[in-house]
Structures are given as structure tokens and as C-alpha cells.
Amino acid sequence: MSQLSERPEKPAVGVKVPHESADLHVTGAALYTDDLVSRFPQLLHAYPVQAEHAHARVTSLRTEPALKVPGVVRVLTADDVPGVNDSGIHHDEPLFPTEVMYYGHAVCWVLGDTLEAARLGAKAVEVDYESLPSVVTIPDAIATDSYQGEQPTVARGDAAAGLARSTHVFSGTFESSGQEHFYIETQASIAQVDESGQVFIHSSTQHPTETQEVAAHVLGRSSSEVTVQCLRMGGGFGGKESQANGYAAIAALGATLTGRPVRVRLNRNQDITMTGKRPDFHSVWEAGFDDDGHLLALRVTMTVDGGWSLDLCQPVLSRALCHVDNAYWIPDIEVHGRIAKTNRTSHTAFRGFGGPQGMLVTENILGEVAPLLGLTGEEIRHRNFYQPGQLTPFGQPVRQIERLEKIWTQVLDEGRYVARRLEVEAFNRAHPHTKRGLAATPVKFGISFNLTAFNQAGALVLVYKDGSVLVNHGGTEMGQGLHTKMLQVAATALGLPLSSVRLAPTRTDKVPNTSATSASTGADLNGGAVKNACEQIRERLATVASGVLGVPPNDVRFVDGQVHGLGSSHEPLQWADLVKTAYFHRVQLSAAGYYRTEGLHWDNARFQGEPFKYFAYGAALAEVEVDGFTGAYRTRRVDIVHDAGDSMSPLVDLGQIEGGFVQGAGWLTLEDQRWDASNGPTRGRLTTQAASTYKLPSFSEMPEEFNVTMFANATEEGAVYGSKAVGEPPLMLAICVREALRNAAGAFGAEGATVHLGAPATAEAVFWALDTARAQAAPDKASVGAPTSAVPQPVMASNR
Amino acid sequence: MSSLQATVNGQEASLSGVSAHTTMLDWLRDQGLTGAKEGCAEGECGACAVLVARPDADGGTTWTSINACLIPAACVDGQEVVTSEGLSATGRLHPVQEEMATRGGSQCGYCTPGFVCSMAAEFYRSDRCPAGSPPACGGHEGDAEHGPNGFDIHALSGNLCRCTGYRPIRDAAYAVGQASEDDPMAKRRSAPAPAAAATRFSGPDGDFVRPADLAEALTVLGERPDATLVAGSTDWGVDVNIKGVRSPLVVAIDRLSELRTFELPTGPLDTPQAGTQYIELGAALTLSEIERRLAGRVPLLEQLFPQFASRLIRNGATIGGNLGTSSPIGDMPPVLLALNAVLVLASARGEREVPLVDYFTGYRQSVRAADELIKAVRIPTPLAPITAFHKIAKRRFDDISSVAVGYAVDVQDGVVSRAAIGLGGIAATPIRARETESALIGRPWTAATVQHAANVLGGEGTPMDDHRASARYRTAMLEQSLLKLHAENPSLQEV
Ligand SMILES: Cc1cc2nc3c(=O)[nH]c(=O)nc-3n(C[C@H](O)[C@H](O)[C@H](O)COP(=O)(O)OP(=O)(O)OC[C@H]3O[C@@H](n4cnc5c(N)ncnc54)[C@H](O)[C@@H]3O)c2cc1C
Ligand code: FES
Ligand code: FES
């Protein structure tokens, strides 16, 4: 076992503990950025002036009327920016734009003594616009060649030849819809200039370092003059990886200009209309199969909606290209990617980061063609699983693929797949108006940032003379349980009970130059750094203890707050006593830890390399029930087997698996983002911009029976204490829900017919799918409202 | 402004400084009670949920969970409020907090205080009965939507969590026991709830009045045509927060006893009685109160309640308020149209009765004059034997209808003898499906009649495309709805 993955005696990792802040959460005592408002006397509230144009030039901006509103203190405009007027890192996102790039774009911000004053002030600002032509959908962008950024291709073999060789060739167009993060805590920051002149920003951000950098460049100051702290977030999911930066910069700008603390907190409508989302994807595909259902060749052109600026869409697209294959060996493959530039919010990271959108393309193909090849969805999938020794299209060996085979077998067994298929068939025969569907899908997901440089982390561990321990690390807590895991890592590495270790909020003046807490890497990277810091301290203490215990330092063991020597007859030392002794021996009791993931390389130009430290695997089996009158459905049961390595924190990981699954199911079924694509005055407006119109999963979407098993004996040699990252991969397990819905809809029609289903598979989409199936089987049963073309229809050709 | 104040977590808290449009949530957070959060400001997420002491039907108190983001802070003048902080005031976790904390019920924790409050309300529900209780308890325990402890999962239908996927929250809910003997909040239930305090003040953004009685309310309405009536504020609160609407005068009417009548005819509800008989529901009764007090006696309403918003909203939303909005997508109108309901309108000039079918005149418009309010809703009996409420929405719990259909049908000797069909979501107002009714009445209740009538129903109204549904889906849903009604109530010959 590797030094990194090995667990000592009685480790605190692997123990089922609640979230470290659980008691604070349930009592309402846990503080989030905006809960601090009453601690800042003289605080000013900021309110944006949002343009009601998809694309327009600002021809004049009159702020005087706002300044006449009682309580309005200042209006922030581009003229106020001492540094760079840009909220991003690609310099394509003016913080105060002169060209409105999307409906809802903030052109300036009003500061008021009260939020109400700022709101009324924002209403009073007068802006003239000259409307410009806009691009609001991916097909619009394709038609007008509106792209931005790189256009990578991943390829292996010869896709054209592979297609030519295939006995069955199918083609189609597939669109998957975007997703609103809907973290329950909206974007929030409070900035203040402190007594030393330092700009101090409380921000709900997944990337404090970048928030610091953006605020610094807007202010025209150095990073050393700006500190960012993130107490905790009320959810992030990728939506605060880059998107928090601009709002923090507004607060910082306001604070430096007025000398008063400034709060920027978006209300829900502002948050939804201004921040980027999981992007829509549009894919044109051709796939070739042999008679046995082997996927021989795949050619896809994938267009992601970047929105008005690049933001994170290049890496999102990379990850999509790296996950088109999901768990399947595709000998001849060619996938082109490009980023549409549209007049929409600037799309961004969202749990899975393009991976879900990429693998959904292939999963959708398999779901559509399985009946045409006379196979079940499970058969066609299993037949195409990678075999040991095979490489991904980008050239990385698919290590541990044998795990997937075991996981698949286990989930089908535990879910009684064979028996339940018969039960479902019997049920469907007996119920003309209600049908059930059963489907399983696998997940293979690569862990590490595609960009190698991001795979590093720092930590600062402080041991005080009384033996107490304070851990700082560069990762942020957004509910994923990172802090809980880091406490477990520190306690394990120092051989202390969990209760003796405390953790401080994430701050850029404790740990600098951090990577975003994202890509599921938070625990791997920061855990490595915390472990490293703790081990430095432990080694120093071991030297001190070795003198007392009379054993070599290597034979000193730290277990549960006691320090003893192997084979030493000396009484074990108490941790706190040893610390005190060490202090008097002038031994340093703090350490900066550092970790970089070894063995990664990536050639972005060739789109080849080994960008991932390892793959996380999982599989899920879902059963749904669909009402034939409405298309409404329920998820009756879900079984999951997931590979979290040797789980670092089982309760936390279970929460990630279940929560990720339900969030994925939301994306694929319920969450229906709508943009106004008409040519009317509200063109480009998001019509689902509130909780009342954009529906998240609620209790009614929770699987009625939900069985989650962690894959056993799953040590990951390449990660801290043998665990695997678990933040994102489970989201994609939910693809089985959509496939089960497809099967249920198909059960209303004749056997062996393909079923086209929208993504998201809303009740309406399911209704049209089943109505079409029903009508194909019995044309007189077509419903009055039957669509002419609900979903783009794939075309099938046979080379025979 | 005199000494407005409320009791929050057992302590006096001053309401001085609130304006007529300050929400209870903002006021609480300004007090430093930041446990309750704003997640949406429109009653959808429940992050703002708190408990208020409300009167029950027997003179005691019900701990009622509501959305603090929707109601004006001034509405809690003289009231008792408990927040998540208050549940653990003794320094020990409350049983619901304990279960939530240890079972992984919180991840980011932002939704958690709200969940805890909704859960606490259900914890203290006096008729929550664990498995093995006498049948009088209702016998829900342990079914798909109730825990073995009698916990009704619908109590949490107005709380959203983006992190957990809900399973641990459900497990926590189903694990809580019964309140202990010395639990002060449990004991509090047997004493009366605080009376509504007559309140009157002028603030910077308008005036606020809670009249002492109906007569005063009607006088105010007569004098101030610019007044806005507010009952549960579940609609008004959204206008204030999301649309930025402000009113020169807010008149709170939800606690007026004259608007809280509840009367049933003496005999059975499903057979004809001598004289005109009706069920009277006071306009200011909340949907939760009506649900509890009718206890299933009007099956059509019983079908509606769980599909109407969430428990949090139903605890505030009144029946009068649902009609008061004249919204074309309200859920009450299609049902009440099918039930042939009649409204009692009151003004200082007197009272009048208006059949609901004549009430709506256009998009969000009605025959109600500016000085009138809805006093009560009357539902004539006997009730039709075949009733159904079909609500088409994206989400099963807590969503607005894209189409809603209420049916009240009677079939005598295989022939449709009565059919009243109310429709919502497909025209500028809620409407009766008159042509469909004609296509049914006097015809045999058979697949052929129903298929024909379903086609007619598909042609009623003028459905539109929007973010909730396409026009053609709405049309299809009308048609399918009648087919479904028939499939679920086949004629005797066809069984
Ligand atoms: C999250 C959420 C979900 C919802 N879901 C649903 C749903 O599923 N189905 C549905 O139908 N509605 C739904 N609603 C809308 C709303 O809850 C209902 O319309 C509710 O019945 C309004 O009652 P209220 O007492 O809160 O009204 P208020 O908000 O107090 O008042 C609403 C309007 O009615 C007027 N009014 C109030 N009482 C009277 C009276 N006695 N006489 C005359 N006018 C009066 C007011 O002046 C105001 O214009 C939802 C609202 C929210 C916030
Ligand atoms: S803040 Fe979302 S319901 Fe009140
Ligand atoms: S725990 Fe994050 S929203 Fe519920």
C-alpha cells in the first residue's frame, strides 16, 4: 500500500460522523456570509441596474436621478474602476459593460443605506440602449457561425471507416438542456477596508484565490492587499467557482470608494438572471454498430452554449469530450467540440463539469438504438463496457475497469433486476393506463482537473502550546463535507481524537494560491496537503518523543491522543505534554503543507494524455411508473453501487451519492430552463427565473425506495487514505432514471420500437414520447394535441 | 407608531421601525436571528420557515409553520413566534434537530433551519398518531407518505433542499418520537393562542391596519379605495418581494372572526335534504384549517388539498385570498365551480350572494366592488357522487397548475344525470366547461360518449404556450383528463 493511502491504527478517517457543523446548521447558528450584515455598522447595500435587452449598446447612462432618491449614496459605474474593468480571467467580461450582452446584464450598481433605497435608486437610473441583433439559441449560433474559444477534437482510429464498416448506422441530433445551480444561498459578499488598509472580503465563493485576484485587478491593487474569506457556502455546485468573483469585486469597489462596508447579495431573481448555469449542449451524431450491438464507431459534433463570455466553458467542453465514451470501448471515434457564443448568461461549472453532458450523448444513443437491435438497454451497455488494458480515446489506460464489472453485477443482483423485469412486464400487461420502466446505467468519471497545474493544494496546521490544533486549508465548504473530512485527515495524521482538532474558515491570507474547490478534488488535494502538514509536525514531535520514550523516531506511534513507542516500557506520553516539551525544545509546532497530484500529464493541443489520477465507478438501477394520461411519473426505487474508494467519511459520502443522484435526476427530468427565443421585446429573457417557475426536485421526486451501497474493498492507492472523490460522479448515475422513463413510455407502444425522449424528460416530454409510441402501435389512439415533431428524430440506415 | 411587539423565542421583541412592507423574515434577521434564511422570497423554498402560535378549533394553540418571507412583520404584532434558534433555547438540541443532525439531514445547512421548523410543527401536531394508535387517528401511519410515528411527509412539501436528496431528512422526520411531558411547546398547545391585536400605524412606505372587527374593516374599505386587503399574504407577499408592489394601505383581515365561519348542514352531505342546504366556509379560513375541519367530508376538496401548494403555504393561504386574486390558475376555482359554489360579498352597504360562475369577469378581474370583500364561500349540498380534481403541473408537490380540472358528475342508471366541470389554466378566467357538460348530460356513461366529450373538452378555452406547458399539451391534458375520469369510474356495464 502506498504511503499516501495507508491508514494508521484507529484512524479518524473512515468513521461515520455527522457534518462538522451539523449542530450549528440545525439550530440556525451556522453563519453564512449574508448573516454577518448586522455586524457591520454603516453597511451599504448594493443593487444592480439590469438591462432588458439581449444585446444592445449603452448609449447613455444617467445616474443623477438615482442620487436624488433618499438613502442612495453612490452609483458605481465603469468610470469608478481604478484597475481593470473585468470580472473574469479571460478579459472578456467587463464588470461594467458598455455593450449589454444578455438580458439582465447589470450595467451599473447603486449603493444605498438600505436595500430599499438601493432598489429604488436602481429603478431611477436612466439608461438608453441601441438594440443589436442577438443570438439566443445554439442552433442560432451554429447558423451564424457564432463561436468563441478553442475547438478541440478527440479522436482515435478512423471514425469514417468505422462507420462504413458497421452493419447498422444511426444518426441524429440531441440536445440536453441547461441547469440552474439553485444553491439555496444566493451569491453574497461583504467587503470592508480594515484598520490596516487591507481590503477584506467575505464571499460565498468556491475559489477564494480567484475572487481575491479579480477583486485586486478591479481595484488596481496587488493580491497582497486583498484578503478573501469564505465562512461556508449554502451550496455551490460549481456555481460559485467563477461566478462569485464579480460580485465580490463590486462590494470591494464600493467599500474602497465610500469607506463603508458594502454588501452585495443577489436576490433569487437576480441570481438566476445574472449568473451562468450548466450549459445546454447540442450534438449531431452518427454511430455504427455490429449485429451484436457493439458500438464500433462514433462521430459527434458537440456544441456547448458558452453564453456571452468564455468563463469555464473551455474546460467544461474538454471534460465533455473526455467523457463521451463513459464506460464504453469505442474503437473508432472522432468528437469535435466548439463553444457557441450567445446572448445568454455566461455558462459555467456545474457538478460534473461537462462530463454529464458528454456521457449523456452516448447513453442517449444506446437507449434509442437498443430496441432496434433487439437488445435491452442493459445488454447493449454491458456488451460495450471497456475491458482491462483498453485506453480511452485520449489515450489514458482505463485502470480498475474490472471494478465496473463487479459493480454492475452487484447492482443488478441487489436490485433483483431479472425478477423485477418480469414483474414490470407483468404489471404493464395488466395496466393499460400505467406503465413501469426499469433501467440501469454505469458511470466512469475521471478525477483531477484536466489542467494539470490546478492539481495542487496547500494547508497550514497550527499546534498551540496547550496541544490544541487549528487546521487551515485552501478548500471551501459548501455542504460537501470537505471540512469534516479535513478534520478527520488531521486527526488521523496526528493520531488525535476528532474532537481535539478545530478548523478555521478558508482565507487567502492563511493559504495562498489555492485552486477552486471543484472537480470533486477538494478532499484529494487538500487532504494531501493537510496530511503533509500534520506529518511534518508529527515527525518533529516523534523526534522529541523518541528521546523520552527511548525508541527510534520511526517507532513512535500517535494513537488517540497518546504517544507511545513500539516496544518501549515507558508510559505513553499525553499529546499535550509532548507538545509542551517540544515547545521548550524549540521545535516548530506549525507547518505549511503542500500536495501535488503525481503522474498527470496532458497535451491540450493533441488532446491526449493522462489527465486523471484515477476513475470513479458506479452503477444505478431505477424503476419508474408513468401515468399514460399525463406523462406524470414517480421514481419507485433506485439501487446504487458506487465506488468511493475506502470512504473517508461514510455518512458524508452517502450524502454526496444520494444528493448528487437526485440533483442529476432533476437535471434530466424536472428542471426545465426556458429562454424567450421569440423576436419580441423580451427576446433572450430567461422565462424560468424564479423558484416558482424553475422547479427543483422536492420530496415528491425522491425515490420511494433508495438503496445505496458503497463498493467494498475499494482502496485507491493514489489518493489520501485510500478514498476516492465522490462529489460529482454520482450525479451521472441518474441517467438511469431517464432511461427507465424511456422504457416505460415505450411500454405504451409496440415492442422493438425506438423511443425519443427530450432532456429534460418532463412529464410533458414523457407524455409525447408515450403518446407517439401509443399512436405508432394503434394510430387511432393519437391524442388531439399530438405534435408534428416533438423531438428531432434520429435516422437509421443499414449498410446491409 | 405605538409599541408594536411580538414574543420571539419567549422574549419580547419590538416591531418598532418596521414599515408596512417589511417582511417578517427581514425583521427577524435584523434582530440578529439569522437562522431563518431567504432562499427565494416567494414562498417556494421554505428556508424562511418559522413557527407561529395560531388558534386551533378547540380553543387551544397549534404551532403552525409559515413562510416568514411572505407575511408583513406587522402581522405578528402581539403574536408568538419560534425560530430554529428558539427550538434549542434550553441549550439542548430539540428532538427534530437531534435527528436532523445525526442522520446527515444537513449538508450545506442553508435549508436546515427551515426544515427544522416545518418538522417541529408536524412534531407538535396534536393529531399525529404513531403506528398502533386507535383507528380514530386516521390510520395513515406507515403508508407511503406517513412515517411509523404518524409524521406526514407533506408537512415538508414546502421545503427545498438542493444538497441531500431528501432521504436523510425523511428518515429524520420518521424517527422523531412524541413530545415529552415537560416540553414547554407541547404544553403551550393547551392554552389559547394570542388574540389578534388591532394594529394601526403609518410607515414610510404606507399605512398598516389590522381592524378590530368586520365593521371596522368595511368602513376602512369604504373610505379608502386604495386599500389592499391582506389575508394569508401568500400572494401579496410575492407581489411585494418579487414585483416590488407597494400599497398605500394594507388591511389585514385574516383574523376577523366574522370571516372565519365554518358551518355544515345537519344531515348527510350526499343526499338531498329539505330546503337549501350548504356548507359555509369563512373566507379567512386557511386551507389547512378547512382541510382539518372538513376531515374528508367533501371528497373533491380532499383531493385538492395535498395538491395545493405546500403545507407551509396552506397554513397561511386563505380560501378568500385564493378567489381574491381572480387568478386564472388558482386551484380553488375549478373545484368550486364544479361544486356550484356561491360567494358572499360584504361591504358597508350590505351583503350579496354571487354564484362563482358569475364572479370572474376577465383576466384578474371580478364583479367585486372596491369596497367589498369576500366574506364566505357556500357550497350547496347534496354533493355529486363522482368527483375528481386533476391538476397538471411539472412537479407533483407544490407547483402551480398548467391545467386544472374539477369534476362533479352523477350517473343514474348508466346515464349522466349531472355534470359540472370547472377549468383553470386555459383561459383568462377560470371557466365552466359548458359544451363538454352538454356532451355528457343525458348520454350513457360509456367509452363512446366519453371519447366524444373528451374531444369537446379538448376544444374548450384558449390554451397558451408558456414555460409551464405548451398549448398543445394543455389541450391534450383536457382531453386525457376526461378519459382518465372515465377509466377510474367506468360504467357498471363496462366493469
Ligand atoms: C409557493 C406558493 C405556491 C402556491 N401554490 C398554489 C397552488 O398550488 N394553487 C393555488 O391556487 N394557489 C397557489 N398559490 C397562490 C396563493 O397561495 C393562493 O392564491 C392563496 O389562496 C392566497 O390566499 P392568501 O390568504 O394568502 O391571500 P393574500 O395574499 O392575503 O391575498 C391575495 C389577494 O386576494 C385578496 N383578498 C384576500 N382575502 C380577500 C377577501 N376575503 N376578499 C377579497 N379579496 C381578498 C387580496 O387583496 C389580494 O389581492 C401559491 C402561492 C405560493 C407563494
Ligand atoms: S425564502 Fe423561500 S420560502 Fe421564504
Ligand atoms: S443542505 Fe444544502 S440545501 Fe439542504
Side-chain angles (χ1 to χ4, degrees), chain A residues 7 10-18 484-485 488 492 498 646-653:
Chain A
R7 293 182 180 187
K10 291 206 200 163
V13 292
V15 178
K16 196 175 152 189
V17 294
T484 311
K485 287 184 171 178
Q488 288 177 285
T492 302
L498 195 52
D646 288 340
S647 172
M648 196 183 294
S649 196
L651 193 62
V652 165
D653 284 350

mmCIF file of all heavy atoms in Angstrom, chain A residues 7 10-18 484-485 488 492 498 646-653:
data_model
loop_
_atom_site.group_PDB
_atom_site.id
_atom_site.type_symbol
_atom_site.label_atom_id
_atom_site.label_comp_id
_atom_site.label_asym_id
_atom_site.label_seq_id
_atom_site.Cartn_x
_atom_site.Cartn_y
_atom_site.Cartn_z
ATOM 1 N N ARG A 7 -3.638 3.734 6.038
ATOM 2 C CA ARG A 7 -4.273 4.292 7.233
ATOM 3 C C ARG A 7 -3.595 3.745 8.490
ATOM 4 O O ARG A 7 -3.337 2.555 8.573
ATOM 5 C CB ARG A 7 -5.753 3.911 7.288
ATOM 6 C CG ARG A 7 -6.547 4.550 6.185
ATOM 7 C CD ARG A 7 -8.024 4.223 6.261
ATOM 8 N NE ARG A 7 -8.710 4.877 5.154
ATOM 9 C CZ ARG A 7 -10.021 4.909 4.999
ATOM 10 N NH1 ARG A 7 -10.810 4.318 5.878
ATOM 11 N NH2 ARG A 7 -10.559 5.533 3.974
ATOM 12 N N LYS A 10 -6.415 2.893 14.435
ATOM 13 C CA LYS A 10 -7.551 3.700 14.921
ATOM 14 C C LYS A 10 -7.689 5.058 14.204
ATOM 15 O O LYS A 10 -7.665 6.114 14.831
ATOM 16 C CB LYS A 10 -7.418 3.967 16.425
ATOM 17 C CG LYS A 10 -7.589 2.751 17.293
ATOM 18 C CD LYS A 10 -8.070 3.199 18.662
ATOM 19 C CE LYS A 10 -7.808 2.147 19.722
ATOM 20 N NZ LYS A 10 -7.889 2.708 21.082
ATOM 21 N N PRO A 11 -7.804 5.026 12.915
ATOM 22 C CA PRO A 11 -7.874 6.313 12.204
ATOM 23 C C PRO A 11 -9.222 6.997 12.410
ATOM 24 O O PRO A 11 -10.232 6.324 12.609
ATOM 25 C CB PRO A 11 -7.717 5.901 10.738
ATOM 26 C CG PRO A 11 -8.276 4.516 10.686
ATOM 27 C CD PRO A 11 -7.986 3.876 12.017
ATOM 28 N N ALA A 12 -9.186 8.311 12.357
ATOM 29 C CA ALA A 12 -10.460 9.050 12.406
ATOM 30 C C ALA A 12 -11.114 9.059 11.030
ATOM 31 O O ALA A 12 -12.307 9.313 10.911
ATOM 32 C CB ALA A 12 -10.220 10.475 12.887
ATOM 33 N N VAL A 13 -10.324 8.802 9.989
ATOM 34 C CA VAL A 13 -10.954 8.672 8.679
ATOM 35 C C VAL A 13 -11.668 7.329 8.609
ATOM 36 O O VAL A 13 -11.286 6.373 9.291
ATOM 37 C CB VAL A 13 -9.942 8.765 7.496
ATOM 38 C CG1 VAL A 13 -9.367 10.161 7.393
ATOM 39 C CG2 VAL A 13 -8.853 7.727 7.611
ATOM 40 N N GLY A 14 -12.704 7.284 7.806
ATOM 41 C CA GLY A 14 -13.462 6.037 7.669
ATOM 42 C C GLY A 14 -14.534 5.880 8.726
ATOM 43 O O GLY A 14 -15.327 4.947 8.672
ATOM 44 N N VAL A 15 -14.574 6.791 9.673
ATOM 45 C CA VAL A 15 -15.592 6.706 10.723
ATOM 46 C C VAL A 15 -16.812 7.508 10.277
ATOM 47 O O VAL A 15 -16.686 8.567 9.669
ATOM 48 C CB VAL A 15 -15.040 7.275 12.055
ATOM 49 C CG1 VAL A 15 -16.105 7.236 13.140
ATOM 50 C CG2 VAL A 15 -13.805 6.492 12.472
ATOM 51 N N LYS A 16 -17.981 6.954 10.592
ATOM 52 C CA LYS A 16 -19.220 7.610 10.199
ATOM 53 C C LYS A 16 -19.517 8.747 11.181
ATOM 54 O O LYS A 16 -19.941 8.482 12.309
ATOM 55 C CB LYS A 16 -20.315 6.547 10.255
ATOM 56 C CG LYS A 16 -21.568 6.889 9.542
ATOM 57 C CD LYS A 16 -22.515 5.700 9.575
ATOM 58 C CE LYS A 16 -23.941 6.226 9.501
ATOM 59 N NZ LYS A 16 -24.939 5.222 9.718
ATOM 60 N N VAL A 17 -19.220 9.949 10.783
ATOM 61 C CA VAL A 17 -19.510 11.088 11.668
ATOM 62 C C VAL A 17 -20.409 12.075 10.933
ATOM 63 O O VAL A 17 -20.336 12.203 9.721
ATOM 64 C CB VAL A 17 -18.213 11.819 12.110
ATOM 65 C CG1 VAL A 17 -17.359 10.928 12.992
ATOM 66 C CG2 VAL A 17 -17.407 12.310 10.909
ATOM 67 N N PRO A 18 -21.245 12.775 11.697
ATOM 68 C CA PRO A 18 -22.067 13.800 11.040
ATOM 69 C C PRO A 18 -21.206 14.967 10.553
ATOM 70 O O PRO A 18 -20.047 15.110 10.959
ATOM 71 C CB PRO A 18 -23.027 14.275 12.127
ATOM 72 C CG PRO A 18 -22.779 13.449 13.321
ATOM 73 C CD PRO A 18 -21.514 12.685 13.128
ATOM 74 N N THR A 484 -15.340 18.436 7.245
ATOM 75 C CA THR A 484 -15.461 17.237 8.081
ATOM 76 C C THR A 484 -14.335 16.265 7.732
ATOM 77 O O THR A 484 -13.659 15.723 8.620
ATOM 78 C CB THR A 484 -16.834 16.574 7.825
ATOM 79 O OG1 THR A 484 -17.843 17.582 7.901
ATOM 80 C CG2 THR A 484 -17.115 15.469 8.830
ATOM 81 N N LYS A 485 -14.136 16.081 6.447
ATOM 82 C CA LYS A 485 -13.082 15.156 6.020
ATOM 83 C C LYS A 485 -11.702 15.673 6.410
ATOM 84 O O LYS A 485 -10.830 14.883 6.810
ATOM 85 C CB LYS A 485 -13.149 14.955 4.501
ATOM 86 C CG LYS A 485 -14.337 14.106 4.058
ATOM 87 C CD LYS A 485 -14.304 13.861 2.549
ATOM 88 C CE LYS A 485 -15.372 12.834 2.157
ATOM 89 N NZ LYS A 485 -15.405 12.607 0.701
ATOM 90 N N GLN A 488 -11.012 14.932 9.855
ATOM 91 C CA GLN A 488 -10.716 13.512 10.003
ATOM 92 C C GLN A 488 -9.291 13.200 9.550
ATOM 93 O O GLN A 488 -8.590 12.412 10.176
ATOM 94 C CB GLN A 488 -11.736 12.668 9.223
ATOM 95 C CG GLN A 488 -13.103 12.668 9.898
ATOM 96 C CD GLN A 488 -14.147 11.900 9.092
ATOM 97 O OE1 GLN A 488 -14.619 12.390 8.076
ATOM 98 N NE2 GLN A 488 -14.506 10.711 9.544
ATOM 99 N N THR A 492 -6.423 11.929 12.027
ATOM 100 C CA THR A 492 -5.772 10.662 11.692
ATOM 101 C C THR A 492 -4.253 10.842 11.621
ATOM 102 O O THR A 492 -3.485 10.065 12.195
ATOM 103 C CB THR A 492 -6.290 10.143 10.331
ATOM 104 O OG1 THR A 492 -7.701 9.994 10.410
ATOM 105 C CG2 THR A 492 -5.649 8.805 9.967
ATOM 106 N N LEU A 498 -10.992 13.055 17.083
ATOM 107 C CA LEU A 498 -11.545 14.070 16.192
ATOM 108 C C LEU A 498 -11.865 15.364 16.944
ATOM 109 O O LEU A 498 -11.683 16.463 16.436
ATOM 110 C CB LEU A 498 -12.808 13.498 15.540
ATOM 111 C CG LEU A 498 -13.372 14.195 14.322
ATOM 112 C CD1 LEU A 498 -12.312 14.392 13.259
ATOM 113 C CD2 LEU A 498 -14.533 13.372 13.756
ATOM 114 N N ASP A 646 -11.930 3.629 -0.347
ATOM 115 C CA ASP A 646 -12.243 3.357 1.064
ATOM 116 C C ASP A 646 -12.759 4.675 1.602
ATOM 117 O O ASP A 646 -11.986 5.608 1.831
ATOM 118 C CB ASP A 646 -10.995 2.924 1.833
ATOM 119 C CG ASP A 646 -10.561 1.513 1.444
ATOM 120 O OD1 ASP A 646 -11.401 0.766 0.895
ATOM 121 O OD2 ASP A 646 -9.386 1.192 1.663
ATOM 122 N N SER A 647 -14.054 4.756 1.774
ATOM 123 C CA SER A 647 -14.680 6.037 2.083
ATOM 124 C C SER A 647 -13.993 6.724 3.258
ATOM 125 O O SER A 647 -13.736 6.118 4.285
ATOM 126 C CB SER A 647 -16.158 5.821 2.390
ATOM 127 O OG SER A 647 -16.707 7.033 2.861
ATOM 128 N N MET A 648 -13.719 8.002 3.062
ATOM 129 C CA MET A 648 -13.062 8.752 4.123
ATOM 130 C C MET A 648 -14.046 9.110 5.216
ATOM 131 O O MET A 648 -13.699 9.216 6.380
ATOM 132 C CB MET A 648 -12.460 10.020 3.515
ATOM 133 C CG MET A 648 -11.448 10.649 4.414
ATOM 134 S SD MET A 648 -10.785 12.165 3.767
ATOM 135 C CE MET A 648 -9.882 11.725 2.344
ATOM 136 N N SER A 649 -15.288 9.288 4.837
ATOM 137 C CA SER A 649 -16.301 9.717 5.791
ATOM 138 C C SER A 649 -17.644 9.192 5.288
ATOM 139 O O SER A 649 -18.318 9.845 4.496
ATOM 140 C CB SER A 649 -16.298 11.246 5.862
ATOM 141 O OG SER A 649 -16.981 11.685 7.003
ATOM 142 N N PRO A 650 -18.010 8.005 5.741
ATOM 143 C CA PRO A 650 -19.129 7.312 5.094
ATOM 144 C C PRO A 650 -20.461 8.064 5.094
ATOM 145 O O PRO A 650 -21.187 8.008 4.097
ATOM 146 C CB PRO A 650 -19.241 6.011 5.892
ATOM 147 C CG PRO A 650 -17.874 5.806 6.471
ATOM 148 C CD PRO A 650 -17.329 7.172 6.738
ATOM 149 N N LEU A 651 -20.765 8.785 6.161
ATOM 150 C CA LEU A 651 -22.053 9.488 6.170
ATOM 151 C C LEU A 651 -22.026 10.647 5.160
ATOM 152 O O LEU A 651 -22.994 10.899 4.441
ATOM 153 C CB LEU A 651 -22.362 10.014 7.580
ATOM 154 C CG LEU A 651 -23.794 10.493 7.807
ATOM 155 C CD1 LEU A 651 -24.794 9.363 7.627
ATOM 156 C CD2 LEU A 651 -23.941 11.104 9.204
ATOM 157 N N VAL A 652 -20.883 11.311 5.115
ATOM 158 C CA VAL A 652 -20.712 12.401 4.156
ATOM 159 C C VAL A 652 -20.808 11.855 2.726
ATOM 160 O O VAL A 652 -21.503 12.411 1.871
ATOM 161 C CB VAL A 652 -19.353 13.102 4.393
ATOM 162 C CG1 VAL A 652 -18.988 13.988 3.201
ATOM 163 C CG2 VAL A 652 -19.385 13.908 5.678
ATOM 164 N N ASP A 653 -20.112 10.758 2.475
ATOM 165 C CA ASP A 653 -20.104 10.216 1.117
ATOM 166 C C ASP A 653 -21.480 9.706 0.704
ATOM 167 O O ASP A 653 -21.904 9.897 -0.438
ATOM 168 C CB ASP A 653 -19.054 9.097 0.996
ATOM 169 C CG ASP A 653 -17.638 9.677 0.926
ATOM 170 O OD1 ASP A 653 -17.506 10.909 0.778
ATOM 171 O OD2 ASP A 653 -16.669 8.906 1.025
#
